[in-house]
C-alpha cells in the first residue's frame, strides 16, 4: 500500500508543477558540473531544465499559462500560486468532471471544458480558444 501511495503522490499534478517551477539556487551550479547529452534522460537534464524554466520566468515581463487535460486544474492551480503577479493571462481546458474540483473554483485563469475521451462541440470550442490564446502570446 505504501508503494501505491508513493506512486500516486509522485504523479500528483500540483507536486509535479511545484518541482518544475521551484527555484533552486544551487541547481545551476550543480548542473554546470555535469555532462548533458542531447536527449539524455537523467537527473542532470532535469536540473538544467528546472534552472532554465525558473530563470526564464524571472526574466519574463509576464507569463501566459495554458494547461490542457485531465490534470490541468491541479497543474494550473500550482502554477498560478507559484507565478503570482507574473501571470498575466491563463486558459485551462479540462474534462467537465475535473472542473467541479475545489481548485477550479479558485483559479484566476479562464476555465473551459473539453470532452474526454471523445471530442465533442465543447472540445472544438476549447481548441479554438486555445489557438486564439496562443496567437496573443
Amino acid at each position: 500500500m505504501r508503494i501505491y501511495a508513493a506512486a500516486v503522490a509522485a504523479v500528483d499534478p500540483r507536486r509535479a508543477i511545484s518541482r518544475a517551477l521551484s527555484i533552486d539556487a544551487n541547481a545551476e551550479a550543480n548542473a554546470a558540473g555535469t555532462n548533458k547529452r542531447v536527449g539524455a534522460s537523467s537527473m542532470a537534464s532535469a536540473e538544467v531544465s528546472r534552472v532554465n524554466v525558473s530563470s526564464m520566468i524571472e526574466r519574463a515581463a509576464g507569463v501566459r499559462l495554458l494547461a490542457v487535460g485531465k490534470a490541468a486544474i491541479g497543474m494550473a492551480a500550482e502554477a498560478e500560486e507559484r507565478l503570482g503577479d507574473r501571470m498575466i493571462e491563463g486558459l485551462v481546458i479540462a474534462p467537465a468532471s475535473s472542473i467541479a474540483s475545489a481548485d477550479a473554483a479558485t483559479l484566476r485563469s479562464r476555465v473551459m471544458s473539453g470532452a474526454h475521451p471523445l471530442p465533442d462541440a465543447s472540445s472544438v470550442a476549447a481548441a479554438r480558444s486555445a489557438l486564439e490564446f496562443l496567437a496573443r502570446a
Side-chain angles (χ1 to χ4, degrees):
M1 189 60 156
R2 288 191 317 229
I3 293 171
Y4 173 77
V8 169
V11 296
D12 174 68
R14 288 190 76 125
R15 266 182 88 179
I17 295 300
S18 176
R19 282 191 308 269
L21 296 182
S22 66
I23 298 170
D24 182 353
N26 295 317
E28 191 167 346
N30 293 340
T34 62
N35 294 326
K36 181 178 178 257
R37 295 187 333 254
V38 174
S41 176
S42 68
M43 182 54 86
S45 298
E47 291 300 322
V48 169
S49 295
R50 182 178 302 149
V51 170
N52 291 341
V53 170
S54 297
S55 62
M56 286 188 313
I57 289 170
E58 285 184 357
R59 290 189 311 264
V63 176
R64 286 181 169 83
L65 170 67
L66 175 62
V68 180
K70 292 186 287 183
I73 300 292
M75 292 187 306
E78 185 65 26
E80 283 188 6
E81 186 175 308
R82 295 269 176 179
L83 294 170
D85 292 338
R86 290 186 188 111
M87 190 185 97
I88 57 175
E89 183 181 17
L91 175 62
V92 178
I93 301 170
S97 59
S98 299
I99 294 173
S101 76
D103 279 342
T106 64
L107 292 178
R108 293 179 290 150
S109 297
R110 177 178 175 206
V111 179
M112 297 183 73
S113 68
H116 178 76
L118 300 174
D120 65 7
S122 70
S123 304
V124 173
R128 283 193 179 117
S129 292
L131 290 172
E132 291 167 4
F133 178 86
L134 293 171
R136 290 191 299 275

